[in-house]
Amino acid sequence: MHFISQELEDYIEQHSEKEPVLLAALNKETYQKILLPRMLSGHFQGRVLSMLSKLIRPVNILEIGTYTGYSALCLCEGMQENGTLHTIDIKEELVDFQRKHFDKSPWGKQIFQYLGEAVDIIPTLQTKFDLVFIDADKENYINYFELILPNMNKGGIILSDNVLWSGKVLETVQPNDISTKIIMEYNKLLKEDPRVETVLLPIRDGLTVSRVL
């Protein structure tokens, strides 16, 4: 997942906006108590998500893949005053952990959690979204894209995480490596689909910004 040196990553963080106190605490507790803490967006990517959200000024945000709630809170920083964030995850054991930190933020009452498979939940959401962040199981990235596109406002932004997949997109794909195969197909789809315009940013494990036309 690390394509540049740790020293350069440290320099980047030092010359980016400081990590908010609430998020620093969430980051620390995730590493102390939760399995696979590297799944957390972290300081630098979190500040990127925050900045993008502030530029977009979304009313309604959809997040597919909550984990411990770090990225959700980053996205909320740019949300309009009357906005909502809807976040979906399959891990029941993380719901209370997420809610504890959501309720410590200014947006607790504007964050709605959904537990279950996103492919089942997305069609039930009666909301038009300005900003979507996809960061869940890679095998369903194409399915998520096709499900959310009809619910996007024109000019809305879809952010897709892990699109470089630890550099595996440049390697020979093994027959049983479904995740890498789907990520490569997904990247090709975003590049060629006339419904969006896309730029792939080499941030952390790859972050794609797609604008709905």
Side-chain angles (χ1 to χ4, degrees), residues 2 4-17 43-44:
H2 295 278
I4 60 176
S5 69
Q6 187 61 54
E7 292 80 5
L8 197 52
E9 285 194 4
D10 291 343
Y11 182 88
I12 290 169
E13 287 193 5
Q14 291 163 9
H15 291 80
S16 297
E17 285 295 309
H43 176 189
F44 173 56

Side-chain angles (χ1 to χ4, degrees), residues 94-132:
L94 293 179
V95 171
D96 291 341
F97 186 97
Q98 298 159 6
R99 177 49 58 185
K100 178 179 72 173
H101 290 279
F102 290 160
D103 286 344
K104 290 179 181 178
S105 79
W107 311 285
K109 294 181 179 178
Q110 296 165 265
I111 299 175
F112 299 91
Q113 296 163 280
Y114 301 84
L115 179 64
E117 297 288 347
V119 290
D120 299 323
I121 294 169
I122 294 170
T124 71
L125 301 177
Q126 304 298 312
T127 304
K128 284 283 189 179
F129 295 102
D130 307 295
L131 176 59
V132 174

